[in-house]
Amino acid sequence: MKANYHTHTIRCQHAMGRDEDFISAALDAGFDVLGFADHAPWPFRNGFVSPIRMPMSDLEDYIRSVKALQKQYAGQIDIFLGLESEYFPRYRDHMLRLREMGVSYFILGAHYNDSEEENPYIGPECQTDEGVLRYAEHAVKAMRTGLFCYVAHPDLFMRHRRDDEFSPACEQATDMICQAANEMKLPIEYNLLGLDTQLRGFSRGYPSAPFWEYIKKFDNTVILGVDAHEPSHLADTSLWETGRRNVLDMGYRLIDHLDLEV
Ligand SMILES: [Zn+2]
Ligand SMILES: [Zn+2]
């Protein structure tokens, strides 16, 4: 089975393409399952508007569109309605409401500590060891809620670090993240958007070679995530194959789908 649960839409303000174009690309590339997991909207209380995610005003349209496509493509490809979500404890009720509205899964994409109104993107902060540990603590807290079904780019803290900057604090953070993922039975993602960037000759920090080498001792379950921000990311079958090969060559248990209910 070929399944990707990490697909964005134009609503997050940094992706391109119509919803249906992502599905066409997925069908052409031989996917059996396509999960939409756009960057979750949050009802920020102080009027803060995030420039990197779906605004609340697009939420209904997102749900309506994915559900309509689910019906339209039934029998051709299984479409799931999800969200890539942070964990902001003060907005936990909002996540529960999203589930009631029909969102069937959340992948954990922790880019901010609690909450985005008050904290910067964690990338630069993770250039310090304290930042890395604070990030890991937050990610573990998120995983332990039981709200998530997998951990997107678990090595995001390496975003602005070189491979030779995988410090003892990074090892400690990795221990925390991978042990929690195992405890909670959450697959961790090998992120193909990051891999694509690296194959094009740019540094993105993840997938982080020292991270993936270091975690061999944990025997985590791994899943591939396209992190598609445009239909062409899904269409690139060689990227998928390279990612798959990399994970298998490192000896990881790669799962090909999640057991989700629509
Ligand atoms: Zn994004
Ligand atoms: Zn993503």
Side-chain angles (χ1 to χ4, degrees):
M1 195 180 269
K2 188 170 174 182
N4 169 58
Y5 299 92
H6 195 164
T7 312
H8 292 280
T9 77
I10 198 167
R11 298 172 189 79
C12 72
Q13 313 177 57
H14 60 274
M16 289 190 303
R18 298 179 313 150
D19 298 348
E20 203 161 357
D21 296 337
F22 284 93
I23 299 173
S24 306
L27 281 169
D28 288 347
F31 282 95
D32 305 291
V33 175
L34 185 69
F36 283 94
D38 207 359
H39 294 284
W42 298 93
F44 294 116
R45 283 178 195 139
N46 62 359
F48 172 79
V49 179
S50 169
I52 53 93
R53 60 180 68 257
M54 184 193 308
M56 281 296 289
S57 55
D58 277 354
L59 176 60
E60 271 183 35
D61 176 65
Y62 175 66
I63 294 175
R64 184 200 51 73
S65 171
V66 175
K67 284 190 166 175
L69 292 165
Q70 217 165 34
K71 285 207 184 85
Q72 189 183 331
Y73 285 89
Q76 291 182 69
I77 184 167
D78 290 336
I79 308 274
F80 286 93
L81 170 64
L83 286 166
E84 175 177 6
S85 179
E86 310 282 336
Y87 179 55
F88 298 146
R90 72 189 79 173
Y91 297 121
R92 191 175 187 282
D93 287 353
H94 169 62
M95 292 185 74
L96 303 179
R97 255 194 318 276
L98 290 168
R99 291 299 297 261
E100 283 167 13
M101 291 170 80
V103 173
S104 62
Y105 71 96
F106 294 111
I107 61 176
L108 174 62
H111 307 82
Y112 293 86
N113 295 321
D114 181 30
S115 159
E116 189 174 343
E117 304 108 301
E118 292 153 14
N119 288 279
Y121 173 57
I122 60 96
E125 191 179 338
C126 283
Q127 287 172 304
T128 69
D129 284 346
E130 302 74 53
V132 166
L133 292 171
R134 195 160 100 90
Y135 173 69
E137 258 167 48
H138 179 69
V140 167
K141 196 195 276 182
M143 285 184 240
R144 295 219 163 108
T145 61
L147 289 167
F148 298 93
C149 69
Y150 88 56
V151 184
H153 39 58
D155 41 357
L156 183 71
F157 63 85
M158 290 298 290
R159 178 72 175 82
H160 297 290
R161 283 178 181 250
R162 295 190 315 266
D163 284 359
D164 63 359
E165 292 169 332
F166 191 76
S167 65
C170 293
E171 291 185 0
Q172 197 184 329
T174 302
D175 288 344
M176 291 162 68
I177 291 168
C178 290
Q179 278 168 358
N182 273 343
E183 267 168 44
M184 298 301 298
K185 299 194 171 27
L186 296 174
I188 56 172
E189 177 195 75
Y190 189 78
N191 187 277
L192 298 182
L193 179 64
L195 179 66
D196 185 49
T197 315
Q198 291 172 354
L199 292 174
R200 289 174 198 279
F202 301 102
S203 159
R204 196 183 181 94
Y206 65 87
S208 156
F211 172 94
W212 286 93
E213 179 60 34
Y214 179 78
I215 67 168
K216 281 182 176 163
K217 60 183 178 180
F218 291 119
D219 194 27
N220 283 89
T221 303
V222 179
I223 187 165
L224 295 181
V226 177
D227 202 352
H229 283 75
E230 52 185 271
S232 66
H233 292 153
L234 288 163
D236 187 349
T237 50
S238 75
L239 179 67
W240 180 271
E241 279 314 313
T242 305
R244 201 172 151 273
R245 210 19 55 236
N246 288 353
V247 172
L248 293 176
D249 285 351
M250 288 186 286
Y252 290 110
R253 285 180 293 132
L254 185 63
I255 54 164
D256 64 359
H257 73 284
L258 301 168
D259 289 317
L260 294 177
E261 284 173 31
V262 180

